[in-house]
Amino acid sequence: MSVLSYAQKIGQALMVPVAALPAAAVLMGIGYWADPDGWGANSQFAALLIKSGGAIIDNMGLLFAVGVAFGLSKDKHGSAALSGLIGYYVVTTLLSPASVAQLQHIDASQVPAAFGKINNQFIGILIGVISAELYNRFYQVELPKALSFFSGKRLVPIIVSFVMMAVAFILLYVWPHIFNALVGFGESIKDLGAFGAAIYGFFNRLLIPVGLHHALNSVFWFDAAGINDLGSYWAGELLNGAGGTAGMYMAGFFPCMMFGLPAAAMAIIHCAKPEKKKAAASLMGAAAICAFICGVTEPFEFAFMFLAPALYLVYAILYGVFAAVTVALGFRAGFSFSAGLTDLVFSASLPAHAKTWMILPLGIAAAIVFYLV
């Protein structure tokens, strides 16, 4: 089986957990509308919705570990999903900052920042794949009569537990290098202006399938390299630490998420096979609403990223293009959650905002380009 074919199988396996993401996005979107200032601090109803949706979005790595293990298993048995769950907990527990400090005999303050981001989609998918392969290999194994209780499907979680100990040991030394390499890459492009914003926008989307976009985000949105674009914008500052204007690494996401992505969803519905149009409309329609209102895009992206990787590459390129265009034209906006209508409305009152009205022509342009491409 080719790498592309296997990636497509992973994409198909992901459709089960991905189907839960629109529900999370709708809950969070309504919650943010109900209490846009306090995010639940001023409204018990809003807090209930936001926390409920966040419980799904914040645990995507876990969902993917379970979903991929189940989806790639030969007989689609719950034992495969249980194996993925056990594998995920073993790895993420062993690689939590507290555990790493103990394993390496260092102070908690010296633990690499990479382990604070170990609960990500990349880890979830990796564990799901390994768990599924182990399940398919051992779920029919029969042990001697004295150990027959542990035969077959009951044997797999035991094997997965031990294998994941080895996986965690490898990641203990490999994961920080992967994370730090991405941080270093981000630092190398931070002074390139609009072109740097384009590169960042492209790689931000491109790395979402494996959850490694957080490493780049720490460089541009937060204070890993002195930029702190998100913090600067909401603090009322006009300039970020890289010498650019605050919001320049967030503004390009607004036309793409609010207009480009819904148009792309319409294009997928339009091009779907007749027998698949209802299913496509259901998933893509919900994804489009979520993206426009609150900037949650994962339901859309994970629906096709592994099924059509070439198309996803084009999708990431379009983000880069619009990131450069927005910076060059002087449009500035920021978000505290994501680039949806909710954050646009409330960020437009802050000092660093600029030419917010341009969201309409930029959004129309993004919608046309995303739909046609």
Side-chain angles (χ1 to χ4, degrees):
M1 182 182 296
S2 69
V3 174
L4 178 59
S5 297
Y6 197 77
Q8 290 176 336
K9 284 188 65 177
I10 295 174
Q12 293 168 350
L14 280 170
M15 292 310 297
V16 174
V18 164
L21 298 181
V26 169
L27 288 171
M28 296 174 77
I30 297 174
Y32 289 128
W33 272 112
D35 184 16
D37 295 323
W39 284 21
N42 305 320
S43 168
Q44 188 178 53
F45 173 69
L48 179 67
L49 294 175
I50 293 170
K51 293 297 183 182
S52 297
I56 300 173
I57 294 293
D58 295 341
N59 291 288
M60 284 174 55
L62 174 60
L63 294 177
F64 290 169
V66 173
V68 170
F70 175 81
L72 292 180
S73 61
K74 290 181 179 179
D75 61 352
K76 302 296 187 289
H77 195 274
S79 296
L82 177 63
S83 298
L85 177 67
I86 291 172
Y88 186 83
Y89 276 128
V90 169
V91 171
T92 55
T93 299
L94 286 174
L95 296 181
S96 66
S99 296
V100 171
Q102 185 176 9
L103 290 170
Q104 295 190 333
H105 303 291
I106 58 177
D107 188 81
S109 62
Q110 297 177 310
V111 174
F115 294 107
K117 299 293 185 181
I118 198 63
N119 298 292
N120 60 70
Q121 297 95 308
F122 169 74
I123 298 298
I125 293 172
L126 174 66
I127 291 169
V129 169
I130 295 174
S131 299
E133 293 300 328
L134 291 172
Y135 178 85
N136 292 335
R137 172 65 180 82
F138 294 106
Y139 80 102
Q140 291 181 318
V141 170
E142 294 294 330
L143 298 176
K145 287 187 177 180
L147 300 172
S148 60
F149 177 81
F150 298 104
S151 294
K153 295 179 175 66
R154 292 173 178 169
L155 177 64
V156 179
I158 299 173
I159 295 175
V160 167
S161 299
F162 284 99
V163 171
M164 290 306 164
M165 289 172 62
V167 171
F169 180 78
I170 294 171
L171 289 173
L172 180 65
Y173 297 98
V174 173
W175 175 245
H177 294 292
I178 296 174
F179 188 88
N180 291 338
L182 290 170
V183 172
F185 170 73
E187 291 176 342
S188 70
I189 62 175
K190 69 178 184 178
D191 298 319
L192 299 181
F195 183 63
I199 296 175
Y200 166 65
F202 168 70
F203 279 102
N204 174 279
R205 293 296 99 180
L206 196 66
L207 291 170
I208 279 183
V210 291
L212 294 177
H213 58 300
H214 293 299
L216 284 184
N217 292 346
S218 68
V219 174
F220 294 95
W221 291 351
F222 306 112
D223 205 15
I227 297 178
N228 197 25
D229 198 40
L230 191 152
S232 296
Y233 190 95
W234 288 93
E237 300 169 8
L238 298 179
L239 299 176
N240 61 32
T245 52
M248 65 182 289
Y249 294 108
M250 295 182 286
F253 289 87
F254 283 96
C256 295
M257 290 184 176
M258 290 179 59
F259 295 91
L261 192 148
M266 290 176 58
I268 290 178
I269 297 171
H270 177 79
C271 295
K273 296 178 180 178
E275 66 273 16
K276 298 289 186 180
K277 279 193 182 294
K278 285 187 177 180
S282 177
L283 182 59
M284 291 293 103
I289 293 172
C290 296
F292 181 80
I293 294 175
C294 56
V296 174
T297 61
E298 286 84 356
F300 174 80
E301 289 153 347
F302 279 98
F304 83 96
M305 58 176 53
F306 291 106
L307 298 175
L311 182 61
Y312 191 81
L313 175 63
V314 174
Y315 171 74
I317 290 172
L318 291 178
Y319 263 82
V321 170
F322 276 93
V325 171
T326 53
V327 171
L329 293 179
F331 170 77
R332 296 291 183 273
F335 48 79
S336 51
F337 174 65
S338 192
L341 179 63
T342 305
D343 272 303
L344 179 66
V345 170
F346 291 101
S347 75
S349 62
L350 296 174
H353 91 277
K355 301 183 180 179
T356 309
W357 59 269
M358 290 189 69
I359 187 60
L360 292 178
L362 283 169
I364 293 171
I368 293 172
V369 171
F370 272 70
Y371 182 84
L372 293 178
V373 173

